[in-house]
Amino acid sequence: NGMDTGTGKTITTLVGLTSDPRNKKILIVTMRRNFVDWKREIKKIGFEDDYIVLNSPKDMKSDKRIHLVSYEKWAQEKVYFAKDDEGEKYSEKNLPVHCPQCEEEWKKGTYTCSCGFSVISKRKKPLYKYFNRSYDAAAIDEGQFIKNGSTQRTKSIMAIKTKTRVLLSGTPAENGAGDLFWLLAWLMGDSLVFKDSGEHLMKATIESSRRFHNSFGGVNLTNLLDSDRISARVSNKEKLWSLLDKIMYRKLKTDADVARSILVPEPTHRRLHLEMTDSERKLYEKRVSEFNEWYQNEKAKKKSAAYKGETYHISTIEVCSWLDKLRKIASCPWVQDDYEVSTTPPSK
């Protein structure tokens, strides 16, 4: 479902899947931030009492027709950190410098030492590990997120085996034709039924994804899916379009028939200021304090460099990353490791 953003991919997919009586149990994977949209459309078509949000493996056994799950729950492993000798919990940011058991230098990014010591007390497998064949259909929202076959997110989607498969994305090829490989691999059942320019049968492997990119690459976002603006850099375009024509439905807001249907009056904008909850304010102030400490340290480095006659630039990228952390506290504070969950829901 390659319909343009805002033209109704969600409700189109829901109507298509639920109107087929063979789809007795439907799995929908989306971003947690999109839950509100999916729930609204589910209720709109009369299934408000026939859907469940998956939070644990036992939820997957539900007889509800629509099973809604976030990418986070579906793909990510949950880890529980152990406590150190002083009773403090380890964390991703607080790994030991040396292994408490063998004194070997601790490798950053790893949770287990070569001697077997681990800072993890318990692991909780992601939900995709419990996938069963009870689902008749599956819909993958924001399909552009599975363009990299080596990520855990893509692997979790490739584990979904159903007879009916729908992938939603208004921008399925943000960086070029190479982005389409894993989308097509899942949609077509792990094996693409055509050959590349080297006459290799496309299978769902990292090597095949490279060959796919070499065969059909060289396209940018505005040129890939709209044949009247094709770039001369596109290779094997007839073969690629032939495949896409079989499996993709695409409509743009600028299409004449769509433009007539979505014509609406100019909106009246109203700005509403929301107060932070106590948990959000506490986290926000903590992050501002951390940023201030980092920034003062950077200014000290810059001053020291100037004293030595050297040049020191404060990283713009790092400043932006701090701003992004503050933005996330206002939009999705639960993704922060140190967010204290309370009975009061986030203000947004």
Side-chain angles (χ1 to χ4, degrees):
N1 188 336
M3 292 166 64
D4 206 355
T5 304
T7 53
K9 286 190 296 296
T10 303
I11 195 163
T12 302
T13 299
L14 283 170
V15 171
L17 291 177
T18 56
S19 61
D20 188 340
R22 293 173 296 180
N23 296 332
K24 295 180 174 60
K25 201 168 172 181
I26 301 164
L27 176 67
I28 296 170
V29 185
T30 184
M31 298 299 290
R32 188 184 291 141
R33 64 170 182 253
N34 295 340
F35 270 12
V36 173
D37 299 325
W38 280 93
K39 289 178 180 179
R40 182 184 63 245
E41 303 300 344
I42 286 172
K43 292 177 182 178
K44 189 182 292 184
I45 63 173
F47 284 84
E48 62 268 30
D49 297 323
D50 205 8
Y51 83 93
I52 183 174
V53 175
L54 303 183
N55 289 302
S56 66
K58 68 177 183 180
D59 292 337
M60 299 170 73
K61 298 178 182 179
S62 170
D63 291 330
K64 299 281 188 181
R65 191 171 185 197
I66 299 174
H67 290 201
L68 188 63
V69 66
S70 67
Y71 271 109
E72 295 87 345
K73 283 283 185 183
W74 188 252
Q76 293 176 8
E77 179 186 55
K78 178 75 173 176
V79 296
Y80 299 87
F81 288 95
K83 292 183 179 180
D84 60 21
D85 293 337
E86 297 177 359
E88 295 292 325
K89 269 195 174 183
Y90 292 107
S91 70
E92 289 183 4
K93 299 176 182 178
N94 184 33
L95 295 175
V97 178
H98 294 90
C99 175
Q101 186 165 292
C102 70
E103 295 301 320
E104 184 179 321
E105 187 172 342
W106 195 267
K107 293 180 180 177
K108 283 192 174 183
T110 60
Y111 298 141
T112 304
C113 178
S114 58
C115 73
F117 176 83
S118 178
V119 296
I120 302 298
S121 62
K122 188 174 69 171
R123 294 177 182 269
K124 191 175 181 181
K125 293 190 293 186
L127 286 183
Y128 87 89
K129 293 285 188 179
Y130 300 92
F131 178 80
N132 56 69
R133 297 283 183 158
S134 64
Y135 292 102
D136 305 296
I140 307 304
D141 196 12
E142 307 261 17
Q144 68 274 8
F145 287 153
I146 65 168
K147 62 189 176 186
N148 186 342
S150 61
T151 65
Q152 195 62 27
R153 180 179 289 168
T154 301
K155 292 174 183 176
S156 75
I157 298 304
M158 295 299 289
I160 301 173
K161 316 291 184 184
T162 61
K163 292 180 181 178
T164 301
R165 308 181 187 194
V166 179
L167 188 139
L168 296 76
S169 178
T171 55
E174 294 176 296
N175 304 306
D179 287 357
L180 291 170
F181 179 81
W182 291 101
L183 283 66
L184 296 174
W186 179 74
L187 277 171
M188 304 183 71
D190 307 341
S191 178
L192 306 190
V193 291
F194 70 103
K195 296 182 178 181
D196 65 8
S197 57
E199 296 302 304
H200 297 102
L201 185 65
M202 286 293 180
K203 297 285 186 181
T205 65
I206 299 296
E207 178 56 35
S208 289
S209 69
R210 295 193 188 100
R211 289 206 305 268
F212 183 93
H213 189 277
N214 291 338
S215 292
F216 303 104
V219 197
N220 61 38
L221 175 62
T222 58
N223 292 334
L224 176 61
L225 301 172
D226 307 307
S227 57
D228 58 336
R229 293 183 293 176
I230 193 64
S231 163
R233 292 179 298 139
V234 182
S235 54
N236 300 307
K237 58 182 181 292
E238 291 83 5
K239 189 179 288 188
L240 179 61
W241 284 347
S242 176
L243 175 65
L244 294 180
D245 284 344
K246 295 174 185 175
I247 64 168
M248 178 183 285
Y249 181 78
R250 182 160 176 82
K251 281 288 184 179
L252 303 177
K253 289 178 182 176
T254 52
D255 292 347
D257 55 338
V258 177
R260 286 194 300 270
S261 301
I262 64 174
L263 187 63
V264 293
E266 285 296 314
T268 299
H269 294 284
R270 183 167 63 93
R271 177 170 292 180
L272 179 65
H273 293 274
L274 303 176
E275 287 295 325
M276 284 184 169
T277 64
D278 290 340
S279 294
E280 288 171 323
R281 185 177 289 105
K282 182 179 178 182
L283 182 59
Y284 195 90
E285 290 172 354
K286 178 184 177 184
R287 203 64 82 241
V288 169
S289 176
E290 291 171 349
F291 167 75
N292 185 55
E293 183 180 345
W294 172 83
Y295 191 60
Q296 294 302 328
N297 187 44
E298 290 296 297
K299 288 206 296 184
K301 291 179 182 177
K302 188 172 184 177
K303 185 176 180 180
S304 175
Y307 181 77
K308 297 175 183 178
E310 300 171 353
T311 302
Y312 183 83
H313 294 289
I314 299 176
S315 170
T316 305
I317 294 176
E318 283 204 60
V319 173
C320 289
S321 73
W322 280 103
L323 292 174
D324 186 56
K325 290 175 185 178
L326 294 173
R327 178 187 64 80
K328 286 179 178 176
I329 293 172
S331 60
C332 48
W334 54 84
V335 304
Q336 308 284 319
D337 291 335
D338 48 353
Y339 174 64
E340 295 179 4
V341 180
S342 66
T343 54
T344 306
S347 58
K348 185 181 178 183

